[in-house]
């Protein structure tokens, strides 16, 4: 292996510095969009971009963009980046590694006087995770021009809408269109991310190439029955939405197991009014269903909706299902895959493993904007969305090195 271009010590130090913002006692990180923590994280990223010699700007949705000029400044821009928001009590690598690796790659190009034809921009996207509003990839949707004002009505658990949160953070929701880029401006998007699974670990490989990203569908279920006394109401005289939810959840898990790739998760559930000795009057829960095969995912969704109707009718429970977000699966584009493969060959990483992403990523929003692709870095034990999420310094450095060469491949192709 030849000497590394990127500086792994600097990348690692920045990862550690960024993880301090929004750090919890568990060691996990919570940074939701349009909060003080997110602002601090963005300011830190801006300072890194400036150290890297990039021209920095913030767009109308709060994406932070650092640009390195190409020798042909008018040619299409190569985009890279990821997100710096997190899930509740999440890890320090999900998103952050992609943003910091991209900055590191561009900083080294600057230090080494490396030139490229096409401009390269690194973007720290606003709210990829969707943890606050149940609606994610907000920054990348805005960049793709598909974020609409009605999306900004979706609200967090304190009933603050995206538009209100934006205003409070100093943004103008009516200007979101200004963040959109057109296909004529963008050459390709490549993102580095931790794998969040165990494939690379099982193959004993530090990095891999992503062939496609599974599509998340998020629903919110509201089951309404009759609240009452937990001691004084016989079991056969109740309309308890929790009993119905239990039936439905067990249907969902059993049904999801019938598909080769589908996954179904109920990550948030709430009983109202919420008393130990009170039969709940209402139960709310979220459902996240994904598959790389959209037809399978949509068939699973149909079955779940039908089952929900049936069990709720049988138990005299009122049912409401709200769509939070529906994202189509996204295959990686041949030109980005080729650029990653050529870059890997160049640095002696032959036989780069190819794998699917089960997690969602910002590039999924760019189907009508530009070709996309991703590099994965090995995750320890496949753990993610958890404080113990970890990738080694060596693996992160290898990922950033591969990104460095991939960006040059893309930015020097006609
Ligand atoms: C983001 O990490 C997602 O896949 O939900
Ligand atoms: Mn995530
Ligand atoms: Mn992520």
């Amino acid at each position: 292996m030849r000497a590394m271009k990127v500086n792994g010590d600097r990348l690692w130090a920045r990862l550690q510095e960024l993880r301090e913002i929004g750090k919890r006692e568990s060691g996990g990180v919570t940074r939701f969009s349009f909060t003080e923590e997110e602002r601090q994280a963005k300011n830190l990223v801006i300072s890194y971009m400036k150290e890297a010699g990039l021209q920095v700007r913030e767009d109308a949705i709060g994406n932070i963009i650092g640009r390195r000029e190409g020798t042909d400044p008018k040619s299409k821009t190569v985009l890279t980046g990821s997100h710096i928001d997190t899930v509740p009590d999440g890890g320090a690598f999900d998103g952050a590694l992609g943003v910091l690796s991209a900055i590191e790659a561009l900083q080294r190009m600057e230090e080494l006087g490396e030139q490229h034809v096409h401009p390269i921009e690194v973007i720290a996207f606003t709210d990829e995770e969707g943890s606050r509003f149940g609606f994610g990839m907000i920054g990348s949707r805005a960049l793709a021009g598909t974020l609409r004002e009605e999306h900004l009505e979706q609200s967090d658990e304190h009933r603050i809408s995206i538009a209100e949160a934006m205003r409070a953070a100093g943004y103008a929701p009516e200007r979101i269109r200004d963040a959109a880029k057109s296909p004529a401006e963008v050459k390709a998007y490549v993102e580095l991310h931790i794998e969040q699974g165990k494939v690379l670990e099982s193959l004993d490989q530090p990095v891999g190439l992503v062939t496609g990203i599974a599509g998340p569908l998020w629903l919110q279920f509201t089951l309404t029955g009759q609240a009452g006394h937990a001691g004084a109401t016989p079991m056969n005289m109740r309309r308890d939405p929790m009993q119905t939810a239990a039936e439905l959840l067990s249907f969902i898990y059993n049904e999801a197991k019938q598909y080769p790739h589908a996954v179904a998760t109920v990550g948030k559930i709430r009983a109202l009014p919420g008393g130990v000795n009170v039969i709940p009057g209402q139960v709310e829960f979220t459902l996240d269903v994904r598959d790389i095969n959209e037809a399978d995912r949509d068939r699973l969704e149909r079955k779940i909706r039908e089952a929900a109707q049936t069990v709720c009718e049988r138990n005299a429970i009122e049912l409401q299902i709200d769509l939070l977000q529906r994202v189509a699966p996204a295959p990686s584009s041949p030109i980005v895959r080729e650029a990653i493969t050529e870059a890997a060959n160049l640095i002696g990483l032959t036989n780069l493993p190819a794998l699917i992403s089960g997690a969602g990523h910002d590039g999924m929003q760019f189907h009508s904007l530009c070709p996309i692709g991703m590099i994965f870095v090995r995750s320890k034990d496949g753990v993610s969305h958890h404080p113990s999420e970890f990738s080694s310094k060596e693996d992160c450095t290898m990922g950033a090195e591969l990104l460095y060469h991939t960006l040059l491949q893309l930015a020097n192709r006609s």
Side-chain angles (χ1 to χ4, degrees):
M1 162 76 59
R2 1 184 279 183
M4 290 272 178
K5 297 276 192 187
V6 298
N7 179 341
D9 290 338
R10 178 167 59 197
L11 172 61
W12 193 252
R14 285 177 174 169
L15 269 166
Q16 305 315 316
E17 195 176 11
L18 182 53
R19 82 182 303 169
E20 292 302 315
I21 302 175
K23 194 168 183 179
R24 295 292 181 263
E25 264 176 40
S26 61
V29 186
T30 304
R31 283 194 301 263
F32 284 0
S33 51
F34 306 118
T35 61
E36 184 48 38
E37 283 97 354
E38 195 215 31
R39 184 67 255 167
Q40 276 182 38
K42 283 180 172 173
N43 289 346
L44 187 60
V45 163
I46 289 171
S47 74
Y48 295 153
M49 286 179 175
K50 289 188 172 156
E51 278 169 39
L54 307 178
Q55 303 158 34
V56 186
R57 67 185 195 278
E58 182 162 355
D59 72 12
I61 195 70
N63 295 322
I64 307 295
I65 305 175
R67 178 178 176 98
R68 184 157 199 270
E69 206 48 271
T71 52
D72 182 359
K74 293 210 168 63
S75 63
K76 289 184 171 188
T77 305
V78 173
L79 303 181
T80 182
S82 194
H83 59 97
I84 51 170
D85 67 311
T86 71
V87 296
D89 215 18
F93 296 81
D94 178 356
L97 182 62
V99 173
L100 298 179
S101 297
I103 295 173
E104 176 55 34
L106 297 195
Q107 185 158 358
R108 284 305 283 160
M109 289 179 201
E110 188 67 17
E111 289 165 352
L112 298 171
E114 189 87 63
Q115 298 210 321
H116 38 81
V117 177
H118 294 265
I120 305 177
E121 290 185 352
V122 44
I123 308 178
F125 288 106
T126 290
D127 200 334
E128 185 271 350
E129 295 285 7
S131 294
R132 178 166 178 191
F133 301 102
F135 182 75
M137 307 184 200
I138 296 176
S140 42
R141 288 177 204 262
L143 195 108
T146 56
L147 186 69
R148 297 190 303 275
E149 284 203 37
E150 70 248 34
H151 291 138
L152 306 184
E153 288 164 17
Q154 208 147 306
S155 54
D156 68 8
E157 61 189 32
H158 304 294
R159 309 239 179 266
I160 299 171
S161 69
I162 300 176
E164 286 163 347
M166 283 181 71
R167 269 201 199 91
Y171 301 96
E174 57 284 357
R175 284 192 40 227
I176 52 173
R177 288 254 147 224
D178 296 354
K181 285 190 186 275
S182 83
E185 295 172 86
V186 185
K187 182 150 198 294
Y189 174 73
V190 61
E191 172 168 348
L192 175 147
H193 203 280
I194 52 166
E195 182 198 336
Q196 311 178 279
K198 295 184 183 178
V199 174
L200 293 173
E201 196 171 58
S202 70
L203 298 171
D204 197 21
Q205 293 290 324
V207 290
L209 174 151
V210 176
T211 54
I213 311 172
L217 162 73
W218 289 8
L219 301 173
Q220 162 106 20
F221 286 74
T222 307
L223 274 54
T224 308
Q226 177 65 56
H229 197 292
T233 320
M235 292 306 280
N236 64 357
M237 298 179 76
R238 300 180 176 206
R239 285 175 52 226
D240 177 354
M242 188 60 87
Q243 283 188 42
T244 302
E247 254 187 79
L248 187 52
L249 297 198
S250 108
F251 174 87
I252 290 170
Y253 297 130
N254 287 326
E255 186 61 26
K257 287 177 193 157
Q258 310 306 314
Y259 300 72
H261 302 293
V263 285
T265 306
V266 174
K268 251 174 126 173
I269 186 160
R270 191 157 78 127
L272 295 168
V276 177
N277 56 356
V278 184
I279 300 165
Q282 196 165 68
V283 170
E284 299 169 349
F285 63 88
T286 57
L287 174 65
D288 173 323
V289 180
R290 308 182 188 210
D291 204 302
I292 190 73
N293 176 331
E294 195 166 15
D296 274 1
R297 182 195 69 184
D298 292 352
R299 188 153 65 91
L300 175 56
E301 177 198 3
R302 256 192 329 273
K303 295 246 177 155
I304 292 171
R305 283 180 182 268
E306 280 163 18
Q309 282 293 349
T310 309
V311 290
C312 285
E313 269 170 31
R314 180 164 16 89
N315 297 327
I317 295 293
E318 248 177 68
L319 170 68
Q320 185 179 326
I321 304 177
D322 294 303
L323 175 67
L324 299 179
Q325 65 174 346
R326 177 189 297 278
V327 184
S332 297
S333 314
I335 82 152
V336 182
R337 291 176 60 162
E338 273 165 36
I340 295 171
T341 306
E342 275 177 36
N345 288 336
L346 210 66
I347 59 174
L349 291 170
T350 47
N351 298 325
L352 195 65
L355 67 169
I356 287 170
S357 173
H361 300 287
D362 286 303
M364 308 186 82
Q365 298 302 328
F366 299 156
H367 39 81
S368 304
L369 183 70
C370 65
I372 65 152
M374 292 188 74
I375 294 167
F376 267 177
V377 171
R378 168 167 52 190
S379 289
K380 185 170 184 317
D381 301 326
V383 174
S384 184
H385 285 187
H386 188 271
S388 63
E389 174 181 283
F390 183 78
S391 295
S392 72
K393 181 177 164 188
E394 293 69 31
D395 289 356
C396 293
T397 307
M398 184 60 81
E401 183 73 7
L402 181 56
L403 181 65
Y404 177 100
H405 293 280
T406 302
L407 288 171
L408 286 180
Q409 287 287 328
L410 288 168
N412 283 323
R413 285 176 183 217
S414 49

